[in-house]
Amino acid sequence: MTLRAQVYEALGTVYDPELDEPITTLGFVGSCVVAKSDVSVRLRLPTPQCAPNFAFLMAADARAAVLTVAGVRSVSVVLEDHYTGEEINGAVNDGQRFADAFPGETAGDLRALRELFQRKALLARQSRLLASPATTLGELSGPDADRCRALRRALGIDASDDAPAFVTGDGTPVAASDVRFRRMASLTALSLDTNGGMCRDLLKTRYGEEVAA
Amino acid sequence: MYEKDGEKYFVLDGHTHFWDASPANWKPGAEEYAKGWIECFHAYMGLGPPETHWTLEHFQKYSVDDFEKDVFEDGHVDMAILQSTYLKEWYRNGFNDIEQNASILDRFPGKLILNGRWDPREGEAGLRQLEADHAKYGFKGVKLYTAEWHNGSRGWKLTDPEAVPFLDMCADLGIKNIHVHKGPTIWPLDKDAFDVADVDHVATDYQSLNFIVEHCGIPRIEDFCYIATQERNVYAGIAVVVGAHMHARPKFFAKLMGELLFWVGEDKMLFGSDYAIWEPKWQVEGFVDWEMPDDEAFTDYPRLGVEGKKKIMGLNAAKLYGVEVPAEFQVAGTPADPTAAVGVEG
């Protein structure tokens, strides 16, 4: 595998925290250039006014992901055409925090925000698994189940094979037949899917038809 | 008035604008924001049917004649609410401030409802302005835009202590319809700007006020639905749900409608075209024609009949704004008590 392919694969592990989808499939990676061992990534979003906090997380996560690839010496991540691009690019490429990018405009770091959306993502993912009769996580398989495991691990919720198959956003075990849980899970999934669809449409309007699937 | 299959619909468009986003109105030093904002809106127009798209130049500034044709002549709209959006840090005279909106009132007597606005960060001066605007125009509603920039601040929340005197004043003056529009920025920036939890708090505290959450809290419709089931006085403004989805993504539109009908109910949903982002004509016609799909994915959702459509197209908003609607447009029986329109228990 070429270094560029490895770098692109690493970018595929970066999720839009709000949509729970990889930035590569969303079309947010405008370009990825590898010159010897120096990487340059350009990110682009559906609108110039996309929320700065999520934009920062994606840019910082992209940088961190590329730096884990063996053979990469340096990486530059540039968020294009965004109204806080200058602040975000400066801080991300210096390895600084969100608060450094927006001094005086934050009350904390972005951990709580990320966690909130991981809980929503977990709820939404489970809505696609509700048809399964599984009672333990080990009985669930496929991409959605794998993503549930990753989200549970990130949130400190038991992700072992013996753990309960379904949990609420805060990790409380719940039966797949629980009507309230089913309703909330499908509503949250609809919300994420709708937002993802709108982001795709707006990105296409902004950058034309060449945008990835 | 819109008539289809022998049924007459009183159309009260709950969300329209008369804006000026032309380059002449861009504030020096903030051109990039002013340009970015209107181009983003223009991209949303792209989600409607192709034959309804405008050029960017036309979209930046349209005339009162365009408004008349698009909204009242072709758009089937009987009455329209003009919402004010200031954005004065980006647009010299504001995007569509109350004076700009008011400039077309005389042209359409009895057909326009003008809404005001306030911003808690303006403090005492803002309170006096709200009082003066209300004395001049006597509005019954305001539109609040929480992502507005103001003196280095990039947003605010309804639960900010500075908002209390403004909400009190609304209650005192009978400005009972509070339209809430969430945008991409809020203080502090590390919080979710689209969070609608602040609406929940103030809706509980101000029982005499109605809170109409514009575009149903999208991109946080799940949180909005949950709040709307708990609070008697929280309503769904369905602009954007219709404009951005009914044509572009009909299956998503059907599901969004299904969730709203289940959680919020047809007595608490208000139609809005969000003109000039989208023209009302195709939205009114399409909405009246729309039926919940029959396939299995939609069996969990309530159905929307002619009565429900009449309520959403205008009767619900007419009730909130005290508009008398002729008998020919009314539905049989009294509209249900809004508190009964709750899908599941909290």
Side-chain angles (χ1 to χ4, degrees), chain B residues 45-66:
Chain B
M45 176 177 256
L47 302 177
E51 65 275 16
T52 67
H53 298 175
W54 299 358
T55 63
L56 180 60
E57 194 190 11
H58 179 47
F59 190 77
Q60 285 173 339
K61 186 173 182 172
Y62 45 96
S63 68
V64 64
D65 293 333
D66 295 324

Side-chain angles (χ1 to χ4, degrees), chain B residues 7-9 306-315 331:
Chain B
E7 297 287 349
K8 290 179 177 171
Y9 298 81
V306 168
E307 286 206 357
K309 287 175 183 171
K310 288 185 179 182
K311 292 182 202 168
I312 295 171
M313 289 311 300
L315 299 182
V331 295

Side-chain angles (χ1 to χ4, degrees), chain B residues 114-132:
Chain B
L114 177 68
N115 273 358
R117 57 71 86 174
W118 47 262
D119 185 320
R121 296 164 301 182
E122 292 171 5
E124 191 56 34
L127 282 168
R128 298 289 76 85
Q129 187 64 50
L130 174 62
E131 215 170 19

Side-chain angles (χ1 to χ4, degrees), chain B residues 139-192:
Chain B
F139 44 74
K140 290 180 182 160
V142 286
K143 182 186 172 188
L144 308 179
Y145 183 54
T146 60
E148 176 110 29
W149 291 11
H150 177 77
N151 280 345
S153 151
R154 296 204 245 205
W156 60 279
K157 287 195 293 292
L158 286 157
T159 44
D160 289 345
E162 294 79 11
V164 171
F166 287 87
L167 288 162
D168 288 345
M169 186 177 275
C170 284
D172 289 347
L173 295 176
I175 306 171
K176 62 182 184 113
N177 299 315
I178 314 291
H179 295 252
V180 183
H181 180 186
K182 293 281 174 172
T185 53
I186 201 169
W187 193 94
L189 285 186
D190 52 288
K191 295 283 188 249
D192 176 22

Side-chain angles (χ1 to χ4, degrees), chain A:
Chain A
M1 197 189 264
T2 63
L3 184 58
R4 192 200 177 267
Q6 289 177 58
V7 166
Y8 201 79
E9 195 174 82
L11 288 171
T13 67
V14 177
Y15 277 65
D16 179 323
E18 195 183 1
L19 303 174
D20 195 38
E21 275 194 65
I23 57 171
T24 46
T25 57
L26 283 164
F28 291 174
V29 178
S31 72
C32 167
V33 176
V34 179
K36 291 185 181 164
S37 51
D38 300 316
V39 179
S40 169
V41 177
R42 300 186 85 82
L43 300 179
R44 57 191 187 178
L45 297 177
T47 79
Q49 273 119 354
C50 287
N53 42 24
F54 294 116
F56 183 95
L57 281 174
M58 286 186 271
D61 290 355
R63 180 174 183 269
V66 173
L67 283 173
T68 63
V69 178
V72 168
R73 188 179 63 185
S74 78
V75 57
S76 143
V77 175
V78 174
L79 174 64
E80 296 182 319
D81 309 330
H82 191 267
Y83 78 109
T84 62
E86 207 173 307
E87 294 98 313
I88 289 176
N89 294 332
V92 164
N93 289 301
D94 286 345
Q96 292 180 322
R97 297 164 309 146
F98 185 66
D100 300 318
F102 300 99
E105 291 192 81
T106 63
D109 62 24
L110 295 178
R111 260 177 300 190
L113 183 76
R114 193 198 288 274
E115 192 183 301
L116 175 67
F117 281 83
Q118 284 171 333
R119 294 186 194 283
K120 283 178 190 270
L122 175 59
L123 195 55
R125 286 276 168 183
Q126 293 179 106
S127 79
R128 298 186 193 149
L129 301 166
L130 289 172
S132 161
T135 55
T136 64
L137 195 54
E139 296 164 63
L140 293 172
S141 59
D144 289 318
D146 291 344
R147 184 66 187 151
C148 283
R149 287 186 182 86
L151 287 164
R152 283 167 73 144
R153 278 193 291 271
L155 286 164
I157 299 169
D158 190 355
S160 64
D161 283 351
D162 298 334
F166 298 100
V167 291
T168 59
D170 64 5
T172 309
V174 64
S177 58
D178 184 300
V179 173
R180 181 176 189 77
F181 171 67
R182 295 177 75 91
R183 274 278 175 189
M184 284 308 296
S186 64
L187 173 60
T188 307
L190 174 64
S191 178
L192 265 57
D193 288 346
T194 304
N195 298 341
M198 208 183 305
C199 288
R200 281 193 166 84
D201 285 341
L202 292 175
L203 192 76
K204 203 192 285 175
T205 306
R206 196 172 184 204
Y207 291 106
E209 295 293 333
E210 83 279 13
V211 168

Side-chain angles (χ1 to χ4, degrees), chain B residues 6-140:
Chain B
E7 297 287 349
K8 290 179 177 171
Y9 298 81
F10 180 82
V11 181
L12 203 169
D13 187 334
H15 207 116
T16 66
H17 301 276
F18 186 60
W19 68 56
D20 176 8
S22 61
N25 195 25
W26 296 356
K27 201 166 175 177
E31 293 93 343
E32 127 186 48
Y33 303 119
K35 181 175 183 285
W37 172 269
I38 194 64
E39 285 182 0
C40 179
F41 270 30
H42 189 243
Y44 276 94
M45 176 177 256
L47 302 177
E51 65 275 16
T52 67
H53 298 175
W54 299 358
T55 63
L56 180 60
E57 194 190 11
H58 179 47
F59 190 77
Q60 285 173 339
K61 186 173 182 172
Y62 45 96
S63 68
V64 64
D65 293 333
D66 295 324
F67 189 99
E68 178 171 36
K69 184 172 192 309
D70 297 337
V71 177
F72 295 126
E73 284 177 15
D74 296 345
H76 313 296
V77 173
D78 294 282
M79 289 183 78
I81 301 177
L82 279 168
Q83 304 285 8
S84 299
T85 314
Y86 275 46
L87 301 178
K88 288 200 171 177
E89 296 218 351
W90 300 348
Y91 296 98
R92 290 196 306 174
N93 303 318
F95 184 65
N96 57 168
D97 74 354
I98 193 164
E99 303 300 335
Q100 160 93 358
N101 278 330
S103 71
I104 64 171
L105 286 178
D106 290 345
R107 170 85 177 253
F108 309 107
K111 300 189 89 166
L112 288 173
I113 295 171
L114 177 68
N115 273 358
R117 57 71 86 174
W118 47 262
D119 185 320
R121 296 164 301 182
E122 292 171 5
E124 191 56 34
L127 282 168
R128 298 289 76 85
Q129 187 64 50
L130 174 62
E131 215 170 19
D133 287 346
H134 181 261
K136 190 170 172 188
Y137 297 114
F139 44 74
K140 290 180 182 160

